[in-house]
């Protein structure tokens, strides 16, 4: 099954990319089965911050300033020193994307959906609380830009000891929000990626509890990005990916 001759030198992020390609890329094996997803999860389970160019030690002696991402002396991103939610893009093709969100302690990422996507997520360091829902009614029903949703988890603590989680288009908590209890980072594999052109835009929601229906809420799409949400980008400093499996 090895995709490279130099199997002993393959980085973990390369293995993750290769496995994602095998599971998600079109024309390979049709829609992924649960077995495929579980197989891919195992590649995420072993990922550590250094595998994707992040130094998660707590020292903050990096070369930090307002314009650049904090770096360690060996060039890694000092994940625990980011002051804003920071996205590190690793890869995107038409079938899947791989990237990392780094959060400072106390950061909130608002409720958002993953339309028609499968998303695998692994906390690399730190801990985060998550709230998640699945749609009960279509978001395009009579409730304009909203719908009825069932609570899947509330205030669920996820940390680096947890195995990778997975959500599906209709189950597993397709809509979720996060609160960073400590500085933390989440490595995501999304398939397919968000795409305005392909009808998979990123949307944000507010949840309105239903007093007589505990465990359910009406979710309403917000008109614009929440004012207090700022995501900055940082360069990927991990091992270079070989995309030769694409050809
Ligand atoms: Fe998400």
């Amino acid at each position: 099954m090895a995709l490279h001759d130099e199997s002993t030198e393959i980085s973990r992020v390369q293995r993750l990319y290769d496995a994602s390609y095998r599971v998600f890329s079109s024309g390979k094996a049709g829609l992924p089965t649960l077995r495929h997803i579980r197989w891919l999860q195992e590649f995420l389970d072993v990922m550590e911050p250094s595998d994707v160019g992040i130094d998660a030690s707590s020292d903050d002696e990096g070369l930090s300033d307002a314009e650049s991402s904090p770096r360690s002396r060996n060039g890694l991103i000092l994940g625990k020193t980011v002051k804003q939610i920071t996205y590190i893009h690793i890869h995107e093709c038409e079938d899947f994307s791989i990237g990392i969100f780094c959060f400072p302690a106390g950061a909130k990422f608002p409720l958002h959906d993953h339309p028609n996507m499968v998303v695998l997520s692994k906390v690399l360091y730190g801990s985060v609380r998550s709230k998640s829902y699945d749609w009960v009614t279509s978001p395009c029903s009579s409730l304009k830009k909203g719908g009825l949703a069932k609570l899947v988890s509330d205030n669920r603590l996820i940390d680096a000891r947890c195995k990778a989680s997975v959500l599906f288009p209709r189950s597993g908590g397709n809509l979720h929000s996060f609160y960073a209890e400590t500085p933390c980072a989440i490595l995501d594999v999304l398939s397919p990626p968000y795409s305005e052109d392909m009808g998979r835009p990123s949307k944000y929601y507010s949840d309105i509890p239903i007093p007589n229906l505990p465990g359910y809420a009406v979710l309403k799409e917000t008109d614009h990005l929440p004012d207090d949400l700022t995501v900055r980008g940082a360069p990927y400093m991990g091992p270079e990916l070989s995309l030769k499996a694409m050809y």
Side-chain angles (χ1 to χ4, degrees):
M1 292 281 284
L3 292 168
H4 297 259
D5 296 334
E6 325 80 49
S7 57
T8 55
E9 297 176 16
I10 299 174
S11 66
R12 284 179 180 159
V13 69
Q14 183 70 53
R15 290 175 189 274
L16 177 65
Y17 163 82
D18 290 344
S20 301
Y21 178 79
R22 280 187 172 261
V23 170
F24 293 127
S25 276
S26 355
K28 284 291 173 185
L31 290 173
T33 63
L34 194 55
R35 196 167 134 259
H36 290 136
I37 300 295
R38 298 292 178 223
W39 178 72
L40 179 55
Q41 276 180 289
E42 292 177 12
F43 290 87
L44 271 169
D45 287 342
V46 297
M47 297 294 293
E48 295 181 2
S50 59
D51 294 321
V52 285
I54 295 176
D55 180 343
S57 62
S58 45
D59 79 76
D60 57 359
E61 295 177 5
L63 310 172
S64 179
D65 62 52
E67 300 303 320
S68 63
S69 310
R71 309 274 186 88
S72 67
R73 298 196 186 285
N74 55 0
L76 303 183
I77 303 290
L78 279 171
K80 290 186 177 176
T81 68
V82 299
K83 300 289 191 287
Q84 298 176 10
I85 298 175
T86 300
Y87 182 67
I88 302 170
H89 173 79
I90 298 179
H91 172 74
E92 181 169 329
C93 58
E94 65 180 23
D95 297 314
F96 64 92
S97 64
I98 304 175
I100 307 152
F101 283 96
C102 297
F103 296 85
K108 295 176 187 169
F109 201 96
L111 188 63
H112 60 282
D113 65 350
H114 307 83
N116 297 314
M117 297 180 192
V118 173
V119 179
L120 296 100
S121 303
K122 175 75 176 85
V123 173
L124 297 174
Y125 62 85
S127 59
V128 64
R129 298 249 172 211
S130 133
K131 184 177 190 180
S132 65
Y133 291 95
D134 280 318
W135 289 116
V136 174
T137 59
S138 160
C140 300
S141 66
S142 57
L143 285 164
K144 192 180 174 213
K145 289 187 167 183
L148 178 66
K150 184 181 191 332
L151 187 65
V152 174
S153 66
D154 192 9
N155 210 28
R156 179 183 166 217
L157 182 67
I158 313 169
D159 64 24
R161 295 168 299 181
C162 299
K163 290 183 177 295
S165 60
V166 57
L167 61 82
F168 298 95
R170 306 290 303 177
S171 64
N174 185 272
L175 303 102
H176 58 195
S177 59
F178 294 115
Y179 171 76
E181 277 213 333
T182 67
C184 60
I186 303 175
L187 170 61
D188 284 333
V189 178
L190 280 65
S191 179
Y194 283 111
S195 167
E196 293 270 350
D197 293 343
M198 301 300 286
R200 297 186 302 272
S202 178
K203 293 180 187 167
Y204 295 86
Y205 295 85
S206 57
D207 53 344
I208 304 155
I210 305 170
N212 295 329
L213 199 56
Y216 292 83
V218 172
L219 306 189
K220 288 210 165 180
E221 186 185 331
T222 54
D223 290 334
H224 48 76
L225 269 178
D227 292 338
D228 58 350
L229 177 63
T230 306
V231 179
R232 68 183 298 176
Y236 169 63
M237 304 303 293
E240 190 176 344
L241 279 182
S242 165
L243 304 184
K244 65 184 178 181
M246 295 290 290
Y247 306 104

